[in-house]
Amino acid sequence: MAGHQERQAAETIHLAGKWRTALSGVTREILDPADAEPFALVAEGDERDADAAVAAARRAFDEGAWPHTSVAERAALLHRVADLLVRDREELGLLESRDAGKTVEEGRIDVDCVADAFRYFADLVVAEGAGRVVDAGSPDVHSVVVQEPVGVCALITPWNYPLLQASWKIAPALAAGNTFVVKPSEITPMTTIALVELLVEAGLPDGVANVVTGPGHTVGARLGAHPGVDLVSFTGGLVSGTKVAQAAAAGVKKVALELGGKNPNVVFADACATDDGFDTAVDQALNAAFIHSGQVCSAGSRLIIEASVRERFVAELARRAGRIRLGRGTEKDVECGPLVSAQQRARTEAYVASALAEGAVLRCGGKRPEPSRSRPADGYFYEPTVLDQCHREMKVVREEVFGPVLTVETFRTEDEAVALANDTEYGLAGGVWTADAGRARRVAGRLRHGTVWINDFHPYLPQAEWGGFGKSGIGRELGPSGLAEYREAKHVYQNLAPRAVRWFAG
């Protein structure tokens, strides 16, 4: 990519402005999930690399200029990064496809969204005032609450949307004046490395942005527990997120966790009363469940359908799901790529097997596709799968699969639909499909999920908070609250006419 700092293969650890290999010298091959062939080599960092990166970020925060740089300068740098992302859109989209298995078009869309996030947070900090004046009840007191950067941030990102999730953390962290260490998933680190290269090219001072490639049980665990870290932001699975929170608790650090979801897509019969309405609801149910092979934290993996239209709806849904074109994400006309790893495909297969054993009815998919030119035999492909006649006691309905698997549950009343949609330990997102505007608002208001779409599924806005209820996590990304996660509030009280209090007589 034009303008990037030259570095050698496996020099993927960046600290204090320099790229280098892991201190141990260990490397990891990054596999293309479409054919399981290695296409990149990265450093396999460990706790020592994490310590060095935190030390670099600590020096840059405590002794460097970035935390004290003007808002206008910080915003200008974020805008330069957005411009560079646009310049490198094609290359980054392709790299995201090879790294995570998604289609190139999905990768390009991710780049667009990342550029939007950088621009949003740049504009947000510029638009803010200097502080919130507090009326102390006296003309002799000037009292103001100001927002300051929290300090050194440990940013731990997932494998499914590596570039997007990194940007949701990096952009507000920089806008607020923090320094950071980012640890991308060891499976999909390539676009995060590329993003840090763009930060360097945009002129970010040395030590502000640091990256350590390596596994979660070493690098991630050390970052979560490190005494030099002030905030930990983690996106990933519930089990790992719980460990991060436990590690951070010992140091009483700020913690932000986005831990996924088991998201309902509720379809009322009146949404399907016309041919266009039916077609749109089916189409969106496919999008909700099978974009990026279902490897989406907000995937609408639970279809909750009104009984009177269930059979017609599910039959058409299964027919269309069976026609989804699977293949290498870099190839033209492919609609859905492979799963990210052999482990993730095996996990998906295990969930489908358990569902069938518990009485689910397979309507389509449920197996690996036949190999073809665009689907190499060694790729991690799995057919989009629809499981009918599911119920809440099934493991596949309760737990996050993170694969192309859609379960079907049925309701007869509005209250039953709401109860089913809320019957989950998660609460990230959900959809409601109805032609009744009153019902739409009523049901949306009753759903215990951080994002609710009405007659749509999946769109998000950088201006609107993203996060969940329950075990979907703590805190929010995006929106003003997403910036607030990376700040500390300070009350400055100035007495303009000090005098002795005389509380103590002597």
Side-chain angles (χ1 to χ4, degrees), residues 31-38 376 378-380:
L31 306 182
D32 185 331
D35 56 18
E37 290 294 323
D378 291 333
Y380 310 130

Side-chain angles (χ1 to χ4, degrees), residues 154-173:
L155 313 177
I156 303 172
T157 60
W159 50 257
N160 61 329
Y161 282 87
L163 182 61
L164 188 70
Q165 293 292 335
S167 76
W168 285 12
K169 302 177 190 302
I170 289 172

Side-chain angles (χ1 to χ4, degrees), residues 48 93 124 128 151 201 215-216 228 241 274 295 384 386 389 402 425 498:
R48 294 175 297 162
L124 180 62
E128 290 180 324
E201 184 179 349
T274 66
Q295 298 170 117
V386 176
Q389 299 183 28
F402 242 63
E425 62 182 0

